[in-house]
Amino acid sequence: MTGQPLAFIGARLVDPETGYDGPGSLLTADGCIARVSRGDTLPGLPGDARVIDAVGALLCPGLIDLRVKTGEPGSEPKETLKSASRAAAAGGVTSIVVMPDTDPPVDEPSVVDFVLRRARDIELVHVYPAGAATRGLEGKALAEIGLMREAGCVFVTDADRPIVDSRVMRRLLAYAGGLGVLVAHRPADPWLTAGAAASEGEFAGRMGLPSEPPAAETIMLERDLALLELTAPTGARLMVDQVSAEGALETLRKSKDRGLPVIATASINHLTFNELDIGDYRTFWKLTPPLRGEADRAALVDAVASGLIDIIVSAHAPAPAEDKRLPFEEATPGSVGLETLLPALLTLWHEGQAPLLRLLETVTLAPARAIGSEAGRLAVGAPADLILCDIDAPRIIDANLLLSKSKNSAFDGRRLQGRVLMTVVDGRIVWEASAGAP
Amino acid sequence: MASVAPGLDEIRARAKPFPKRHFLSVTDLDPIRVGELLDLAEGFVALNRQPSKKIDLLKGRTQINLFFEASTRTQSSFELAGKRLGADVINMSPRASSISKGETLVDTAVTLNAMQPDILIIRHAASGAASLLSQKVDCSVVNAGDGQHEHPSQALLDALSMRRAFGHIDGLTVAICGDVLHSRVARSNVALLTMMGARVRLVGPPTLMPASAARWGVEVVHDMKAGIRGADVVMMLRLQFERMQGALVPSTREYFRLWGLDREKLARAAPGARVMHPGPMNRGVEIDSEVADDLAVSLVQDQVEMGVAVRMAVLASLSARLDNR
C-alpha cells in the first residue's frame, strides 16, 4: 500500500546527492519520488494528490541510522521493533539498521528472517538487520554471512564486542569481502578497556572511576586497518564503528589517504557531549565507547565536516531504569537516540560547528550508499523516504515524552533546535506532528 | 591536650549546622568549616577520655550504618560516634547477599528511607554510590567510602591527627605513598590538605598512580626515597590487592623493597616526621612493623581515636542542620 500521491509545495529542498539547497517542490507517486521541481509550483498535479503547504519548512531525505539496538528478540521490556520503529518515525528516521546482539543473536538466516517479518507487520519504517560477524558473537567462528545476506542482512558486525583474535578478523574481512558484504567493527583493545567505565584522564581520575585510555581505540584500529590492507584484494570493506578519540582520527586519515576501502562512523553523543557531562555520576552519559575530552569531541566534529568521518549514527541503546539507576560502574552503558538525532544534528549546525548539507549527508546519502540503498536522495525514481522539518524550532528534550520504551536519553533536559513535522516512508505518511507536540 | 570536656549546652552552641544536607565529599567543606569541625572534634576527644562518654545531643535520632563493603574500623567508629551522642544506631551489611537477590542500591535506599532514619552512613564498592543514594532519600547521607572516589571523614580525622601533632596543617609537607590509584583516602586527603595549605606529594609506582595525578595540585614522585625527603608526614596507603586487576606490581617483596616504609627510608624525612596509615595495615608490604608500632613516630593509634571524635563532630553538625530544617 503506497497511499495517495503527496505534493510538497514551496519547501526548502536539501539534497545531499546534488548538493542542492534551495526552494523547490516535490511529488511522490507509487512509493517513489515522481517529480522534483526547483520552483514554488508543480503544475498538472494528479487529482488525488494531497497538497502539503511546505513553505518555511525543510524537505530532505529521511534519516538512515546504521546503529540501533532494540530488545527484540529476547529483551522486549527494553525496546521492541515496534516501539523502536515508532520512535524512528517520530524522529524522522526512515530506515534503521538493528544490531545483532539480541537473544538469540542474529547470527543465522532464520533470525534475520524473523526480524524482517516483524518489521513488515509493523509497517512503519524500513528495518534492516545487521548480521553477526561471528557465531554467537563470540569472535571465534564465522557466522553464516552468505546465507544471512541472502535473507536480507545489510552488513555484519559483532556490535559492541571487539573481535579479539586477529586471525578471525582477517578471515572475516576476506570472506565477507569476497561476498561483497561490509564488515563493521568497533575498535577497542579488550585488555585496556576491561572494566572501564570512563575515559582515562583528569575527570575519571578525580571521580575514582576505572578508565580506559583513548589509545585502546587507536591500537585496535591500527590492527584492523593493517588487516584490511592484507585482505583488500578480495574485496574487503571495513566500516569503523563509532570513532571517539582524536588519536584514532589520524590513523584513519592515513589509511583513507592511501585509498583503503574504509569508512567510519561517529555517534551523535560523542559529537555533542564530553566526559564532563557525566557530572555527578549521571549514568545516562555512561556510553560505549566512553565520552572523552573536549579536544576529542571538537576533533570529531571537524572530521565530520571534512568528510573523514562519513556517517553519523544515533547509537540508540535502550536501557530500562533498573539498568541505569545503579552506581556508575555497574550501570548499563548507552543512550536512546532515535528521536534526538535530527535536532542534535541541527543544533550542531545552528552552533556553527558544521555545514548543514554535510551534516545531512552523513545521515542520508552516506549511510544509504554503505548499505546499498537507493534512498537518501531527492531524485526522481528514488524511494519516497522523506522528512519535512522545522529546522529552527527550539525545544527542551524531556526524556519522559520520548516514544522509546526506555527513557535513558543523554539529551534529557538538553536545549536543542529542530522538529520533525512529517515523516514519509515509501510515500506513506508514518508520522505527523500535531500542533503543540514536543 | 587534656582539657575539660565541654557540656551538652556548650557543644550545642559550638556545633554549627553542616553546610549541606549530605557529607559526600571533602569539597562540601571550606577551610573555615574544616577548622570549626576540627575544633568541635577536640571537645569530643576530651569527652571520649572521660569515664562517662555519653551526651544526649542526638537523642531520638536514628542512624543507620549501611556497609556494603566489610569494615571494622570505620563502621565501629561511626557506631560509637552515634551512640556516644545518644542516637539509636543500627548496622546493616547487605553485601553480596541482597545483590544476588536482585535488590539494587536504590531499592535498599528506598526501603530504608521508609523507616524514617535521620542519618545514613554508607560504604559501597562503587564510586558515586553515596551520591546516588543521597538523591533517593530524605535524610542526611554520610559517605564512609565510595569505591575509589572519596572517604571524607578519613581526611578529617587525618587532619585532626596532624593538627594535634604539629599544631597546624598549613605549611606541612605530606607525602602520601603507595597505591594512590585505588585509594579514596588519597583522593580525599589531597583535596583537604591542599585546601588547608599543606604541600602534598604523591609517591608510588606509575602503575599505582592515576594518569592525571600531576594535575591535582600535587607533586608526583615515583622514587620513594626522593618522595619522602623532607616530609613532615609520611602517610602510607594500604596496597589494595582486592582491587587489583592484573599485574600492577611484580611481587609484595619487591614492593616492600622499593616502596615499603622502613627505618632506613624514614630517615630521609624531616626531623620529627610522623607516620600515618588509614588501616588496616599490610605489615611487611607497605610498612615495616618496627615503624608502625613505634609510638614516637607513628600516629596510627591517634588516627583511630580521632576518628571517633571527628565523626561525632560531623554527626553533631549534620544534626544541627536537621534541627534547623
Side-chain angles (χ1 to χ4, degrees):
Chain A
M1 199 196 76
T2 54
Q4 67 183 136
L6 302 173
F8 296 90
I9 306 297
R12 172 180 172 185
L13 296 190
V14 175
D15 179 18
E17 188 181 44
T18 58
Y20 180 74
D21 177 357
S25 301
L26 184 146
L27 177 72
T28 72
D30 300 325
C32 291
I33 296 171
R35 286 164 60 192
V36 182
S37 138
R38 293 188 178 182
D40 289 343
T41 54
L42 273 177
L45 284 178
D48 61 339
R50 173 175 165 189
V51 176
I52 296 152
D53 177 6
V55 173
L58 183 142
L59 184 69
C60 69
L63 274 48
I64 299 170
D65 188 349
L66 297 191
R67 202 183 210 284
V68 175
K69 287 195 190 198
T70 77
E72 188 171 351
S75 319
E76 286 78 3
K78 268 191 213 174
E79 187 91 290
T80 58
L81 287 165
K82 185 166 192 173
S83 64
S85 297
R86 288 176 59 214
V93 179
T94 51
S95 296
I96 59 175
V97 175
V98 293
M99 292 294 104
D101 52 346
T102 47
D103 181 19
V106 185
D107 67 347
E108 49 121 353
S110 69
V111 192
V112 173
D113 192 54
F114 166 80
V115 172
L116 286 172
R117 275 188 287 112
R118 290 283 296 128
R120 258 197 304 276
D121 295 344
I122 296 161
E123 214 186 0
L124 275 171
V125 300
H126 299 291
V127 177
Y128 301 110
T134 66
R135 207 172 295 160
L137 306 159
E138 286 177 343
K140 290 174 187 161
L142 296 185
E144 292 171 321
I145 297 168
L147 294 178
M148 288 194 294
R149 183 196 57 175
E150 283 179 15
C153 89
V154 288
F155 59 81
V156 293
T157 178
D158 276 0
D160 292 340
R161 301 197 199 174
I163 294 166
V164 179
D165 186 328
S166 301
R167 191 168 62 167
V168 172
M169 186 63 179
R170 178 193 180 173
R171 289 175 176 169
L172 170 66
L173 284 165
Y175 186 82
L179 296 171
V181 174
L182 177 69
V183 173
H185 188 234
R186 189 175 85 78
D189 180 285
W191 295 282
L192 286 171
T193 55
S199 189
E200 190 170 294
E202 198 172 350
F203 177 77
R206 276 186 190 277
M207 302 300 277
L209 290 172
S211 58
E212 56 163 86
E217 186 169 294
T218 317
I219 288 167
M220 192 58 114
L221 180 59
E222 297 259 9
R223 182 206 72 168
D224 287 352
L225 293 169
L227 292 175
L228 181 63
E229 185 154 17
L230 208 58
T231 52
T234 67
R237 287 183 302 136
L238 175 68
M239 179 159 75
V240 184
D241 179 27
Q242 296 185 81
V243 177
S244 67
E246 191 176 5
L249 290 170
E250 193 45 45
T251 302
L252 182 65
R253 187 190 323 274
K254 281 188 219 148
S255 290
K256 279 196 155 188
D257 286 351
R258 287 172 47 231
L260 277 183
V262 58
I263 54 176
T265 74
S267 93
I268 188 65
N269 301 320
H270 292 85
L271 294 164
T272 306
F273 305 109
N274 65 33
E275 60 193 356
L276 299 181
D277 286 293
I278 294 168
D280 188 16
Y281 301 99
R282 300 189 301 172
T283 56
F284 284 6
W285 286 261
K286 181 180 181 182
L287 305 172
T288 309
L291 287 172
R292 308 217 184 257
E294 174 59 15
D296 293 288
R297 190 202 66 84
L300 213 54
V301 171
D302 288 347
V304 166
S306 73
L308 181 60
I309 296 288
D310 304 88
I311 293 163
I312 296 176
V313 296
S314 74
H316 184 82
E322 62 266 28
D323 291 349
K324 280 291 189 184
R325 241 181 249 150
L326 291 170
F328 197 82
E329 289 164 51
E330 297 166 16
T332 301
S335 165
V336 292
L338 281 166
E339 291 162 82
T340 44
L341 176 58
L342 182 74
L345 277 177
L346 290 171
T347 301
L348 287 177
W349 168 66
H350 281 295
E351 291 170 352
Q353 300 201 50
L356 181 62
L357 248 168
R358 174 64 202 138
L359 286 169
L360 289 177
E361 184 186 358
T362 64
V363 288
T364 55
L365 186 66
R369 288 191 169 148
I371 61 170
S373 162
E374 289 294 310
R377 55 213 181 98
L378 298 183
V380 172
D385 292 352
L386 304 163
I387 57 170
L388 189 67
C389 45
D390 173 348
I391 57 173
D392 297 317
R395 49 197 288 212
I396 299 173
I397 302 299
D398 179 349
N400 290 318
L401 300 178
L402 298 176
L403 298 178
S404 278
K405 280 183 104 171
S406 295
K407 311 297 182 189
N408 56 309
S409 170
F411 289 90
D412 188 28
R414 189 90 173 177
R415 286 163 199 279
L416 299 178
Q417 269 182 283
R419 190 157 88 94
V420 180
L421 302 173
M422 184 184 286
T423 305
V424 176
V425 174
D426 284 338
R428 288 175 295 119
I429 298 172
V430 295
W431 197 82
E432 202 169 353
S434 51
Chain B
M1 283 280 174
S3 55
V4 183
L8 179 59
D9 291 338
E10 198 182 339
I11 287 170
R12 203 164 259 155
R14 274 204 230 161
K16 303 251 169 60
F18 203 77
K20 298 190 175 176
R21 181 150 65 95
H22 309 295
F23 185 27
L24 304 178
S25 161
V26 164
T27 57
D28 293 333
L29 300 171
D30 57 50
I32 291 168
R33 304 282 188 173
V34 171
E36 287 170 1
L37 281 171
L38 297 187
D39 292 344
L40 184 60
E42 289 281 6
F44 290 125
V45 174
L47 178 74
N48 289 340
R49 289 179 178 179
Q50 290 185 157
S52 171
K53 302 168 172 58
K54 197 156 173 172
I55 57 169
D56 282 342
L57 192 72
L58 263 59
K59 189 172 183 185
R61 294 227 180 269
T62 304
Q63 172 189 333
I64 300 181
N65 293 341
L66 182 59
F67 278 61
F68 290 87
E69 256 188 353
S71 157
T72 313
R73 194 173 307 234
T74 306
Q75 184 169 337
S76 52
S77 183
F78 271 109
E79 183 177 355
L80 272 179
K83 284 182 170 165
R84 285 186 181 166
L85 292 176
D88 296 315
V89 183
I90 64 163
N91 291 308
M92 295 186 62
S93 305
R95 296 212 238 300
S97 62
S98 62
I99 292 164
S100 62
K101 287 178 202 156
E103 183 167 272
T104 66
L105 175 62
V106 171
D107 293 334
T108 308
V110 170
T111 304
L112 292 180
N113 192 50
M115 297 178 190
Q116 304 288 344
D118 300 289
I119 299 176
L120 262 175
I121 317 289
I122 179 184
R123 167 167 290 192
H124 195 281
S127 302
S131 166
L132 177 65
L133 189 78
S134 73
Q135 294 160 26
K136 309 292 176 188
V137 297
D138 302 317
C139 61
S140 290
V141 173
V142 177
N143 180 5
D146 63 328
Q148 304 168 16
H149 179 223
E150 282 233 36
H151 189 0
S153 64
Q154 176 75 39
L156 279 178
L157 76 88
D158 289 339
L160 183 59
S161 304
M162 283 182 227
R163 199 176 78 168
R164 286 170 66 96
F166 292 92
H168 60 97
I169 299 168
D170 185 35
L172 289 179
T173 297
V174 182
I176 302 177
C177 308
D179 183 1
V180 176
L181 180 67
H182 299 102
S183 178
R184 52 196 174 213
V185 174
R187 283 173 180 77
S188 286
N189 261 301
V190 166
L192 190 74
L193 290 169
T194 52
M195 184 200 293
M196 300 306 285
R199 292 179 49 207
V200 179
R201 281 189 213 140
L202 297 178
V203 186
T207 47
L208 295 179
M209 201 61 75
S212 57
R215 286 187 291 186
W216 291 0
V218 299
E219 194 186 345
V220 174
V221 185
H222 298 306
D223 178 67
M224 178 80 169
K225 288 174 181 168
I228 63 175
R229 188 170 297 139
D232 300 301
V233 176
V234 180
M235 184 186 291
M236 299 307 298
L237 300 172
R238 203 167 69 82
L239 194 62
Q240 301 199 34
F241 299 107
E242 70 275 17
R243 289 189 204 277
M244 288 199 185
Q245 297 158 350
L248 291 169
V249 290
S251 68
T252 52
R253 70 175 187 179
E254 176 160 325
Y255 185 79
F256 181 69
R257 174 84 181 155
L258 297 180
W259 290 282
L261 185 67
D262 55 17
R263 287 241 183 254
E264 189 202 331
K265 294 199 190 80
L266 185 60
R268 294 162 192 267
R274 308 302 292 270
V275 173
M276 302 177 74
H277 194 297
M281 288 185 277
N282 295 307
R283 290 167 183 270
V285 178
E286 71 260 355
I287 192 163
D288 192 18
S289 285
E290 200 188 352
V291 175
D293 298 336
D294 180 353
L295 294 178
V297 297
S298 171
L299 289 178
V300 174
Q301 295 305 317
D302 297 54
Q303 285 175 276
V304 178
E305 184 185 1
M306 294 312 121
V308 179
V310 149
R311 284 161 185 141
M312 289 168 81
V314 168
L315 294 175
S317 179
L318 283 167
S319 177
R321 185 187 168 91
L322 292 173
D323 289 339
N324 286 0
R325 189 167 60 180

